[in-house]
Amino acid sequence: GQLEVAITLPTKGTTPSMNEWDKDLLHWAVYQQDYPQLAALIASDPKLLEAKNGQGQIALHLAAQMGDLAAIRLLVEAGADPN
């Protein structure tokens, strides 16, 4: 048979529980331009600002690649290192 795997991401306006998917959730929030979710994730664990995705990018890199000035501002103000 087929094995189906579903990862349920939090909906907008909810605060996720902290687990092993957190770094992916931060990048997903940037990708989805979900600023409330992005802020909630950072507030719950500021170390996520330096977490890298599968391509070796921190969330700030992804936001810059997308040209998302709102996410860039939020991430830098939260303490992401732009260097």
Side-chain angles (χ1 to χ4, degrees), residues 52-58 61:
K52 294 182 180 180
N53 65 8
Q55 288 76 41
Q57 297 175 311
I58 61 172
H61 294 152

Side-chain angles (χ1 to χ4, degrees), residues 16-82:
S17 61
M18 295 293 101
N19 59 45
E20 69 274 7
W21 293 102
D22 290 344
K23 67 179 182 174
D24 296 325
L25 289 175
L26 188 70
H27 289 80
W28 182 251
V30 169
Y31 181 74
Q32 292 294 308
Q33 298 179 312
D34 187 345
Y35 309 118
Q37 185 67 29
L38 184 59
L41 286 163
I42 294 166
S44 65
D45 187 357
K47 291 182 279 182
L48 292 174
L49 291 169
E50 299 306 317
K52 294 182 180 180
N53 65 8
Q55 288 76 41
Q57 297 175 311
I58 61 172
L60 181 59
H61 294 152
L62 179 59
Q65 181 180 0
M66 294 174 53
D68 186 341
L69 296 178
I72 292 169
R73 183 175 296 115
L74 193 157
L75 291 162
V76 170
E77 289 176 355
D81 184 1

